[in-house]
Amino acid sequence: MGIVIPFPTKQVMDDELAIRLWELVMAGEIGTPEYRRVDAEISRRKAMTAPRQAAVGGRPRG
């Protein structure tokens, strides 16, 4: 299989999380505690970047 990424760690890049999630899906481990932790971390990171992108895109130009 692939490289095991220790979890949780702040140094894990978004791409590594996506790869780990894909590995879990391919191994048929959807719904396992590890799958839910990785999926939740990806969702949390997306939620953190969404307000920043909305704020930058919504500024009036003057």
Side-chain angles (χ1 to χ4, degrees), residues 8-27:
T9 178
K10 293 180 182 177
Q11 290 87 13
V12 176
M13 294 175 38
D14 293 342
D15 291 343
E16 292 172 335
L17 285 174
I19 290 168
R20 182 65 188 137
L21 191 67
W22 178 79
E23 289 174 344
L24 290 167
V25 169
M26 296 306 292

Side-chain angles (χ1 to χ4, degrees), residues 9 12-14 17 41-49:
T9 178
V12 176
M13 294 175 38
D14 293 342
L17 285 174
E41 179 64 15
I42 290 171
S43 296
R44 184 187 69 81
R45 290 183 185 196
K46 284 182 181 178
M48 286 177 58
T49 60

